[in-house]
């Protein structure tokens, strides 16, 4: 079993905890209170700005065979995920430009930017976000919310193109071959940050 497959096994119970979280359940049902999603949207916007920086830092270190993938990931984050947030902002009254990082966002982005100092380790650290959101999107799309704004969120992460990007990160982890114990440690820490992020300020 490759490193990424091992991470999937470790991560599934932690993903189930996200599925049970009230914020995720509210998105799935389409009845999450607007102030909660507005706060989450602002925090995730700030997170994604740094996520692009993480991809860029890793791209600088990447072997030639991975460079294009990381550029594609940075591009998709900037043009697709951030565009989703911008498109949803007005409907929820979110102030993306005036938002300030809360503790969960600051802790998570600091962790990722620090982990990205090492190539294989950085990939393992960011994998919880890619794999987790792709899996959440797929599972929630089986019974999507009727509320169109929350449906747009689910559709973005259930998209096969996003799933392909997440799968490619798993392949890149296997190809980079970081120390398995260290990869597991960073992946678990990333999954812990993912769960904490749903506790929006």
């Amino acid at each position: 079993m490759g490193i990424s497959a091992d991470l999937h096994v470790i991560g599934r119970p932690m993903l189930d905890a996200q599925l049970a979280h009230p914020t995720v359940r509210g998105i799935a049902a389409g009845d999450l209170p607007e102030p909660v999603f507005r706060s989450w949207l602002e925090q995730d916007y700030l997170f994604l700005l740094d996520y692009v920086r993480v991809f860029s830092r890793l791209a600088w270190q990447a072997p030639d065979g991975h460079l294009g993938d990381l550029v594609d990931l940075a591009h998709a984050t900037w043009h697709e995920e951030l565009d989703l947030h911008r498109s949803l902002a007005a409907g929820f009254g979110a102030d993306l430009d005036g938002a300030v990082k809360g503790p969960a966002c600051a802790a998570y982005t600091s962790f990722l930017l620090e982990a990205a100092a090492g190539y294989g380790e950085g990939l393992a650290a960011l994998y919880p976000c890619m794999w987790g959101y792709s899996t959440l999107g797929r599972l929630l799309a089986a019974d999507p919310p009727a509320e169109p704004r929350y449906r747009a969120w689910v559709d973005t992460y259930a998209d096969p193109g996003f799933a392909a990007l997440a799968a490619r990160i798993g392949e890149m982890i296997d190809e980079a071959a970081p120390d398995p114990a260290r990869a597991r440690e960073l992946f678990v820490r990333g999954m812990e940050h993912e769960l904490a992020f749903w506790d929006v300020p």
Side-chain angles (χ1 to χ4, degrees):
M1 183 167 64
I3 294 173
S4 63
D6 185 32
L7 299 181
H8 297 165
V9 173
I10 294 170
R12 185 54 204 246
M14 305 177 81
L15 186 73
D16 289 340
Q18 292 187 54
L19 284 166
H21 193 283
T23 301
V24 179
R25 288 167 54 197
I27 292 172
D31 61 3
L32 184 69
E34 289 195 7
V36 177
F37 192 77
R38 177 171 63 246
S39 180
W40 178 89
L41 192 67
E42 292 172 347
Q43 292 300 299
D44 201 52
Y45 182 82
L46 297 174
F47 169 84
L48 289 172
L49 292 176
D50 277 343
Y51 206 47
V52 173
R53 293 182 173 97
V54 170
F55 285 133
S56 300
R57 188 173 193 188
L58 292 173
W60 184 79
Q61 306 170 64
D64 291 348
H66 292 182
L67 179 58
D69 296 292
L70 288 162
V71 171
D72 288 346
L73 285 159
H75 185 275
T77 303
W78 183 266
H79 289 283
E80 295 171 21
E81 287 193 76
L82 284 169
D83 277 356
L84 170 71
H85 288 55
R86 296 182 188 107
S87 71
L88 291 173
F92 285 95
D95 180 10
L96 301 182
D97 292 331
V100 176
K101 286 181 183 178
C105 182
Y108 196 3
T109 55
S110 294
F111 161 71
L112 287 174
L113 288 164
E114 180 180 347
Y119 184 66
E121 293 183 352
L123 291 174
L126 68 82
Y127 196 43
C129 187
M130 292 294 301
W131 173 76
Y133 272 59
S134 176
T135 307
L136 285 174
R138 176 175 54 81
L139 294 173
L140 296 181
D143 184 18
E147 210 285 344
R149 295 172 298 176
Y150 294 131
R151 175 66 181 263
W153 187 93
V154 170
D155 287 347
T156 294
Y157 295 107
D159 187 272
F162 188 82
L165 291 172
R168 180 59 184 145
I169 287 288
E171 294 170 356
M172 290 161 65
I173 292 170
D174 293 339
E175 292 163 7
D179 175 73
R182 180 63 173 155
R184 287 193 292 270
E185 176 190 349
L186 289 166
F187 179 81
V188 167
R189 287 177 61 191
M191 290 296 292
E192 290 170 347
H193 280 294
E194 283 289 319
L195 181 59
F197 203 90
W198 293 112
D199 293 327
V200 290

